[in-house]
């Protein structure tokens, strides 16, 4: 039984007790959504726009955030956080977070090789910060889902 608990803890599959009373989290949620709206409008400016099916929108808002956060903030950052290297800090962020954000960006560059794909590095650092802060991937999943959800109206309203 203890092994199951350790795996859940290592992957961040635990509820964060004070997530919505964390002012930094609420600020990251509101500010990140605003930035997502603006970036989305900027990314389609001058283009023919974006067309999403219901399945694509659902995947963008739910499946991708859950799967990516489980992989990058749960497994990768969780593992690296147990190493001496990953526990070291760079400008107040764990190296586990920074490395996970770099690999998160690399994944996005593989399927979207435009300059905007580089921008996912910054939300990746935010997601990792809250993984470190709360020991859970629930905060990163919520932020990732919200940021992606805010891209959709930005694509349609600001283009």
């Amino acid at each position: 039984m203890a092994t199951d608990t350790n795996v859940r803890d290592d992957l961040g599959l635990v509820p964060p007790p004070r997530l919505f009373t964390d002012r930094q989290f609420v600020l990251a949620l509101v500010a990140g959504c605003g930035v997502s709206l603006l970036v989305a409008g900027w990314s389609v400016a001058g283009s023919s726009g974006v067309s999403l099916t219901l399945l694509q929108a659902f995947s963008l808002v739910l499946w991708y955030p859950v799967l990516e956060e489980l992989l990058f903030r749960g497994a990768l950052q969780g593992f690296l956080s147990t190493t001496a290297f990953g526990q070291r800090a760079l400008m107040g962020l764990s190296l586990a977070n920074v490395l996970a954000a770099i690999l998160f960006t690399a994944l996005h560059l593989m399927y979207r090789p435009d300059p905007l794909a580089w921008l996912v590095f910054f939300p990746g650092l935010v997601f990792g910060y809250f993984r470190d802060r709360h020991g859970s991937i629930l905060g990163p999943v919520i932020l990732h889902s919200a940021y992606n959800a805010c891209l959709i109206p930005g694509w349609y309203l600001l283009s």
Side-chain angles (χ1 to χ4, degrees):
M1 194 62 129
T3 303
D4 291 342
T5 302
N6 290 340
V7 169
R8 282 196 306 266
D9 289 344
D10 291 347
L11 290 174
L13 300 174
V14 294
R18 296 174 302 278
L19 184 64
F20 290 104
T21 59
D22 180 346
R23 289 183 180 172
Q24 290 181 5
F25 179 79
V26 174
L27 177 63
L29 185 61
V30 172
C33 285
V35 169
S36 289
L37 279 167
L38 294 174
V39 167
W42 179 53
S43 71
V44 295
S47 72
S48 60
V50 173
S51 176
L52 286 177
T53 66
L54 187 57
L55 179 59
Q56 289 170 323
F58 184 76
S59 296
L60 181 71
V61 174
L62 182 65
W63 292 115
Y64 296 153
V66 169
L67 294 174
E68 289 176 356
E69 294 312 313
L70 185 57
L71 174 63
F72 290 100
R73 259 52 71 182
L76 180 62
Q77 187 172 336
F79 168 75
L80 289 172
S81 294
T82 65
T83 68
F85 171 81
Q87 292 174 3
R88 293 169 64 191
L90 177 66
M91 296 173 25
L93 299 172
S94 72
L95 287 182
N97 176 4
V98 173
L99 185 56
I102 289 169
L103 294 173
F104 179 68
T105 304
L107 172 77
H108 285 79
L109 285 167
M110 287 181 1
Y111 67 86
R112 185 179 174 155
D114 62 50
L116 287 172
W118 288 97
L119 293 179
V120 302
F121 177 72
F122 299 105
L125 289 175
V126 172
F127 303 156
Y129 172 79
F130 287 103
R131 164 60 158 112
D132 284 342
R133 185 172 171 88
H134 291 282
S136 172
I137 65 166
L138 181 60
V141 167
I142 290 168
L143 291 172
H144 195 157
S145 293
Y147 293 4
N148 283 4
C150 289
L151 290 170
I152 297 169
W155 286 329
Y156 291 102
L157 300 175
L158 302 176
S159 61

